[in-house]
Amino acid sequence: MRRIVVLISFFFSLVLISYFLYVSGQEHTLIFNNIYKDKAESKNIVLKIAGEKDKKISKNRKTVIELKGKQHKFIIESDGQIKEGIVKFSLNKGAEVEIENFMKSENSWIKEIEQY
């Protein structure tokens, strides 16, 4: 009987550890869309994410970043203006950040996209 309990607890802990490693190590796609509705308003920006090199995004361009983990903090600098944001990912989901809406502090600045 004791042997069965040990085997069941071993398999349960193995499944639990596997799930944790799957969720924490999953790669997500993050798209930064710097295309404005009025193209004349678009600005060059610098994107900073912890653990990544700073990225410069030109006017009216998009950039794609692959990130591991469930939550990431990013900083956007544009013409001396600095804004911070946080992106939280659901399982098997990516996200698209609309820079125009983010810089204007609108509610609809992030859009969830299907990963697979």
Side-chain angles (χ1 to χ4, degrees), residues 17-32:
I17 290 169
S18 299
Y19 175 76
F20 174 74
L21 290 174
Y22 175 74
V23 170
S24 66
Q26 187 177 20
E27 191 169 62
H28 299 276
T29 301
L30 183 58
I31 301 171
F32 284 92

Side-chain angles (χ1 to χ4, degrees), residues 13-116:
S13 62
L14 187 66
V15 168
L16 188 64
I17 290 169
S18 299
Y19 175 76
F20 174 74
L21 290 174
Y22 175 74
V23 170
S24 66
Q26 187 177 20
E27 191 169 62
H28 299 276
T29 301
L30 183 58
I31 301 171
F32 284 92
N33 184 357
N34 195 23
I35 301 174
Y36 282 53
K37 291 175 185 152
D38 182 9
K39 302 224 184 246
E41 291 181 11
S42 184
K43 303 171 188 169
N44 295 328
I45 64 169
V46 177
L47 173 66
K48 297 180 180 184
I49 297 178
E52 299 282 327
K53 283 181 64 176
D54 294 353
K55 287 202 173 229
K56 294 179 181 177
I57 305 174
S58 301
K59 297 177 182 179
N60 300 313
R61 299 276 185 203
K62 288 184 180 183
T63 189
V64 178
I65 300 173
E66 301 291 334
L67 299 170
K68 288 186 180 181
K70 293 181 75 169
Q71 179 175 324
H72 295 279
K73 183 179 177 182
F74 63 92
I75 299 171
I76 295 179
E77 294 180 8
S78 174
D79 294 338
Q81 183 182 11
I82 299 174
K83 288 200 73 166
E84 295 182 7
I86 296 177
V87 176
K88 295 179 184 176
F89 294 107
S90 301
L91 203 57
N92 294 332
K93 301 284 183 177
E96 182 173 355
V97 176
E98 297 285 339
I99 301 296
E100 179 179 16
N101 295 342
F102 179 72
M103 296 304 274
K104 293 179 181 176
S105 299
E106 294 182 11
N107 290 336
S108 61
W109 60 270
I110 190 164
K111 179 174 68 172
E112 195 171 76
I113 57 175
E114 291 294 324
Q115 186 76 16
Y116 304 108

